Amino acid sequence: MSVDKSQASSEADRSSGQPLSPMMVRVRQVLGELILEHRCFRGDDRIHVARERILEVCQKLRDDVELAFDLLLDVTAIDYLGQPDDFERPREIWDQERPVLRRHPARRHELVLPPRGPHPRFAIVYHLTSTTRFHRLRIKCRVPEDDPTIASLTPVWPGANWLERETYDLYGIRFIGHPDLRRIYLNEEFVGHPLRKDYGKFDEQPIQPYVGPGAKEPRRPH
Amino acid sequence: MSDQELKNLVAPIDGANRRLHGFEGDLHTEPMRIQFGPSHPATHGTVRIVLDLDGERIVDADVQVGYLHRGFEKECETGLYYQNIPYTDRLNYSSPMLNNVGYCLAVEKLFDIQTPPRCQFLRVVGGEISRMVDHMLAIGSSAMELAAFTPMLYLLEGRELLLDLTDALCGARVTTNFTRIGGLCADMPEGFKEFAIPRLDRALKLVEDADKLLTENPIFRERMEGTGRLPAQDLIAWGVTGPILRAGGIPYDVRRVQPYLVYGDLDFDVPVGEHSDNFDRYLVRLEEIRQSRRLILQCLERMPDGPVDSDDPRVRWPAKRRVYTQMEELIDQFKLVTEGGYPPPGEIYQAVEAANGELGFYLVSDGSGRPWKCRCRSPSFSNISPMNLMLKGGQLADVVPTFGMINMIGGETDR
C-alpha cells in the first residue's frame, strides 16, 4: 500500500491519540464525510456511518483497489436497551445517565423497562476483511427502536443473506431489499426476538403442533 | 400451514424448470420435491435440505438449519467471562480446544493480558491436536457415507490415539474446557513429549493408510471429483473460509495472514487446491493433518520452561495454599469466583483459524463482569450458506459428498 508515512502520523485519532494505521488513512480518503466517527480500541478499527448510507459505504470499501474488502465475515446487532450511548465513553458520564435496569431479568414481567432515551436502541455491526490485504474493519450503524430497518447488503455480498436472516430472527431488524427474509433458527410461530434485552432468559413459548404431511389427528380428551 | 403450502409439499413442482435446464425431449422424468433430513442416515449433522429434483438432477435446494439452536449467545450474556468457557466446547464438538483457545484469546484481548510463552506453545499443541481430530473425523465419516467403511475405522482408531493426548492435557476427551482466561487448566503432565510422539506417529501412519485406500480409489474419486464445485470468487462473496476456500486456490489462513499465539515463529505450509471441488477439499484436509503434526512436533521440541498462567490479578485465582492461610487471598478468590474480573468498557473482535475456517468472537463489554454481548462468528454457518449453489445442477448422489466435505457441525452452525 502506497501511503505516505508522514501523512499517517500527522492525522492523529481523536479518541485514542494513536496515529492512524495506513488502512484507516485510506478509508478516510475513500469515504470522507461518510464517516461519522472513528474509534480504535485494542487495535480494532471501527467506523460509525449513517444507516441510510450503508450500501454506498460498503460498495466503496469493496471496490477500492487498495482496500479490497471482499470478505464479509459477520453481520450482527447490539441491543443498547437502557444504555445512553457507546460504552467506551468516559465512565463517569454514562454512570450518571444510565437509568436503573435489572441486568438479567428471568421473566418478562420482572423487567423494569427504562425510559426510552434520545439514543437509538440498536446498532448493526459488520465485520469486513480482505483476502488479499488481510486488514480488518468494523462498521456500526445505529438503528432506532420504532423503525428497526436498514438496507440489505445482499447486492454487495451475497453471503449477507443468511447472516441478515439470523439478525432478523434474533433481533427483529428488518433488512430492506433482502431476497428471502425468513426466520432461520426459530419456528415461524415464535413470538418476539430472543436476543433483545427485554426478552427474559427463561421466557417460554407454546409448543407448536406439527401440521405437515402425515400429521396425526389431535387425540380426543378422555 | 395453509392448504396451498401443504399441496406444494406433495405435488410435483412446475415443469418450467425442466425446459429451463434443457431437459425437454430427454428421458421422461417427473419433477418432484423430496425432504433430505433433518435426521438422515447419510448426514452427520442435523440439517434439512428440501430438494427439487428433475429425475436425479437437482433443480433447486433449500438448506434449513437451526435444529440444534441452544441460545449460546443469550446464555453467555448472563454468565461471567470465565463461566462461558465450557459452552465453547459445545460449539464445534469435534475440535473443542480450538474454540476454547479462540474464546480465551478474545477475552484476553479485551482485558489486555499477555500469556506466558509456555502457555502459548501448549495452546498451539492442544489446538493442532483438535484440528487433526476434526479433519480425521470429517474425512472418515465422508468416506463412510460413500460406503467406504474401512478408512473410517482406521481414522477413528487414530482419533482415539489423539484423544488420549487430549485426555492427558486436560483430563477429558471431548468436553475439554482446556483454557482459562490468562492461562490453562493445568500444565502438561510430566513425560508428555515421550507419551505424545509415538501416538502422533501411529495416528499419522493410520492417516497414510486411509490416504492409500481413498485417494486412488476409483469409486471415491468418481464421487468426489468435480462435484460440489463453486468458483473462488463466489466462495469469497459468500463469506466461505477455511479448507473450502483454500481448496479454491485462495491461501487465506488466519494463522498465516494474522499470526496469533506463536504461529508466526513456527514453520508450516498452507496447502491450497485448484479445482474448488470436493476432492480438493479432501486433499487440503489430508495435507493439513500432516502440517498439524509438524506444528505439534515443533512446539514439543521448543517448549520453554516457566509458568503457564499469567499473574494478572484481575483474572487469575490465587494459589490454593495461600487461599487457605491468608485472609486477603481468600477474599480475592471469593470476589473472583462470584463477580469475575472487570474488563474496561469496549468492544473487540478476535479471530482464530478453527478446523472449518475463521472462528471469531466479538465481545462487547459495558465494564461489568458479564459480557453485554458475546457473538460467535462460526465458520460452519457461513460455509453452508452457499450449499444450494454447490448442489444446483448436480446429481442427487452429490448431496452426500458435498455435505460431508462442507463438514457442517450442528453445534457451531446453530449455536
Side-chain angles (χ1 to χ4, degrees):
Chain A
M1 199 181 283
S2 61
V3 173
D4 189 5
K5 268 280 169 57
S6 61
Q7 190 190 4
S9 53
S10 66
E11 277 193 54
D13 177 22
R14 271 169 299 171
S15 63
S16 63
Q18 297 288 319
L20 287 179
S21 64
M23 185 268 289
M24 265 324 290
V25 173
R26 180 67 192 163
V27 167
R28 284 204 171 171
Q29 281 173 4
V30 170
L31 296 182
E33 291 302 303
L34 291 172
I35 303 179
L36 300 180
E37 193 183 349
H38 164 240
R39 277 172 184 273
C40 184
F41 179 73
R42 302 266 191 263
D44 284 10
D45 282 307
R46 166 175 115 222
I47 58 171
H48 292 236
V49 300
R51 64 165 170 162
E52 293 79 17
R53 316 295 292 274
I54 181 68
L55 212 55
E56 187 187 338
V57 165
C58 289
Q59 250 155 10
K60 282 185 174 172
L61 289 176
R62 185 194 64 177
D63 295 336
D64 185 73
V65 188
E66 280 185 32
L67 292 174
F69 281 108
D70 49 0
L71 191 63
L72 173 71
L73 286 170
D74 198 14
V75 179
T76 187
I78 306 176
D79 185 355
Y80 284 102
L81 177 69
Q83 309 300 318
D85 202 344
D86 220 313
F87 292 124
E88 284 174 34
R89 290 168 67 197
R91 193 174 173 117
E92 45 286 2
I93 300 176
W94 57 262
D95 262 357
Q96 287 164 10
E97 282 183 23
R98 181 145 66 163
V100 180
L101 166 71
R102 236 191 96 184
R103 256 311 289 276
H104 299 294
R107 313 248 178 219
R108 188 183 296 261
H109 59 79
E110 291 173 16
L111 180 71
V112 185
L113 279 178
R116 217 183 267 184
H119 310 289
R121 176 173 165 185
F122 296 105
I124 315 292
V125 187
Y126 302 94
H127 285 96
L128 309 181
T129 189
S130 164
T131 54
T132 47
R133 309 272 174 178
F134 313 131
H135 42 224
R136 292 172 189 273
L137 183 66
R138 183 182 311 143
I139 306 176
K140 276 177 94 167
C141 300
R142 294 302 289 245
V143 169
E145 183 181 2
D146 45 10
D147 178 30
T149 57
I150 193 169
S152 168
L153 287 191
T154 41
V156 189
W157 292 287
N161 188 326
W162 278 35
L163 294 164
E164 288 178 347
R165 272 176 72 188
E166 188 194 351
T167 310
Y168 163 71
D169 191 0
L170 302 179
Y171 282 96
I173 310 288
R174 290 197 308 282
F175 291 88
I176 309 294
H178 191 284
D180 180 25
L181 198 62
R182 291 178 284 160
R183 282 187 181 268
I184 192 162
Y185 288 151
L186 307 169
N187 49 328
E188 289 296 331
E189 299 85 3
F190 197 94
V191 181
H193 302 282
L195 274 187
R196 287 188 175 192
K197 290 284 178 185
D198 54 3
Y199 192 94
K201 188 180 157 192
F202 296 104
D203 277 0
E204 285 171 10
Q205 301 267 336
I207 295 172
Q208 298 295 330
Y210 174 62
V211 290
K216 286 178 184 154
E217 288 290 312
R219 198 178 286 172
R220 269 178 302 170
H222 292 294
Chain B
M1 193 177 279
S2 70
D3 286 354
Q4 190 54 44
E5 282 170 352
L6 263 180
K7 211 176 277 177
N8 282 345
L9 275 176
V10 285
I13 52 160
D14 186 21
N17 281 322
R18 301 177 58 215
R19 287 189 290 281
L20 199 71
H21 289 262
F23 297 135
E24 199 75 352
D26 206 342
L27 202 66
H28 175 72
T29 52
E30 279 296 325
M32 67 184 297
R33 169 169 292 177
I34 66 162
Q35 314 277 329
F36 193 93
S39 178
H40 192 277
T43 60
H44 51 276
T46 325
V47 68
R48 179 181 182 213
I49 309 171
V50 181
L51 293 164
D52 285 345
L53 296 178
D54 187 327
E56 288 211 21
R57 193 160 291 275
I58 296 165
V59 179
D60 201 359
D62 181 21
V63 184
Q64 298 174 6
V65 298
Y67 290 91
L68 232 54
H69 181 61
R70 310 170 305 271
F72 169 77
E73 290 168 29
K74 190 81 178 172
E75 199 70 45
C76 282
E77 285 172 11
T78 57
L80 301 171
Y81 282 95
Y82 75 90
Q83 287 174 333
N84 295 335
I85 302 171
Y87 296 140
T88 60
D89 294 342
R90 280 84 174 162
L91 286 175
N92 184 344
Y93 32 71
S94 46
S95 54
M97 280 187 176
L98 285 165
N99 306 321
N100 295 160
V101 170
Y103 177 76
C104 281
L105 279 176
V107 180
E108 282 155 17
K109 186 172 174 185
L110 184 61
F111 276 90
D112 200 13
I113 296 171
Q114 285 296 320
T115 44
R118 188 175 175 89
C119 167
Q120 302 199 6
F121 275 95
L122 272 171
R123 283 180 177 185
V124 173
V125 170
E128 294 303 320
I129 292 171
S130 273
R131 192 186 313 278
M132 288 176 83
V133 168
D134 191 296
H135 286 343
M136 286 159 88
L137 206 58
I139 293 172
S141 48
S142 300
M144 184 190 67
E145 284 150 13
L146 303 180
F149 201 74
T150 315
M152 170 74 173
L153 295 176
Y154 282 22
L155 290 170
L156 274 189
E157 194 189 335
R159 175 173 179 262
E160 286 302 317
L161 291 167
L162 295 180
L163 289 182
D164 283 350
L165 305 188
T166 315
D167 196 355
L169 280 177
C170 65
R173 293 165 72 253
V174 181
T175 49
T176 53
N177 197 9
F178 176 50
T179 54
R180 297 289 183 271
I181 298 164
L184 297 172
C185 65
D187 199 350
M188 71 175 186
E190 219 157 285
F192 180 74
K193 192 177 160 189
E194 294 71 36
F195 179 75
I197 290 174
R199 277 171 176 74
L200 280 169
D201 290 345
R202 250 191 90 201
L204 199 79
K205 173 84 177 32
L206 288 160
V207 171
E208 300 296 350
D209 287 350
D211 177 13
K212 279 179 206 151
L213 281 169
L214 288 174
T215 308
E216 295 304 324
N217 184 326
I219 302 173
F220 186 73
R221 290 190 76 134
E222 195 72 24
R223 297 286 300 270
M224 300 292 258
E225 269 178 331
T227 58
R229 182 176 283 173
L230 198 61
Q233 68 266 26
D234 284 353
L235 291 175
I236 294 175
W238 280 84
V240 174
T241 48
I244 306 178
L245 183 61
R246 290 194 284 277
I250 310 289
Y252 180 79
D253 186 326
V254 185
R255 292 177 293 172
R256 176 56 55 82
V257 302
Q258 282 190 336
Y260 53 97
L261 295 174
V262 286
Y263 282 111
D265 306 334
L266 299 173
D267 183 25
F268 67 103
D269 298 329
V270 177
V272 291
E274 48 180 326
H275 301 105
S276 197
D277 61 354
N278 286 332
F279 193 64
D280 278 11
R281 288 165 201 161
Y282 156 76
L283 289 178
V284 165
R285 282 206 169 86
L286 207 57
E287 185 55 35
E288 280 188 13
I289 295 178
R290 300 187 185 112
Q291 296 300 327
S292 289
R293 177 175 164 272
R294 262 180 81 191
L295 281 167
I296 296 170
L297 291 181
Q298 285 176 53
C299 285
L300 291 176
E301 196 59 45
R302 294 166 53 180
M303 183 76 66
D305 289 332
V308 290
D309 293 332
S310 100
D311 50 3
D312 195 309
R314 289 174 300 171
V315 291
R316 280 315 294 173
W317 297 1
K320 247 327 177 243
R321 252 185 64 204
R322 295 183 66 81
V323 173
Y324 288 143
T325 52
Q326 308 279 324
M327 192 65 201
E328 287 77 14
E329 268 81 356
L330 182 68
I331 296 172
D332 193 17
Q333 160 127 3
F334 182 76
K335 296 291 263 187
L336 279 173
V337 173
T338 53
E339 294 175 12
Y342 288 83
E347 49 183 70
I348 55 101
Y349 177 84
Q350 171 71 40
V352 296
E353 182 73 23
N356 284 326
E358 173 167 332
L359 173 75
F361 284 95
Y362 172 53
L363 295 172
V364 179
S365 154
D366 63 342
S368 71
R370 296 177 164 86
W372 184 259
K373 179 177 174 62
C374 171
R375 161 82 178 166
C376 165
R377 189 267 173 203
S378 61
S380 288
F381 185 79
S382 291
N383 287 358
I384 199 171
S385 62
M387 186 174 163
N388 58 346
L389 299 181
M390 296 180 190
L391 294 179
K392 247 180 234 179
Q395 300 282 325
L396 174 61
D398 298 344
V399 176
V400 174
T402 306
F403 184 78
M405 277 296 119
I406 289 176
N407 191 25
M408 188 204 96
I409 306 289
E412 190 180 58
T413 310
D414 302 342
R415 288 190 288 274

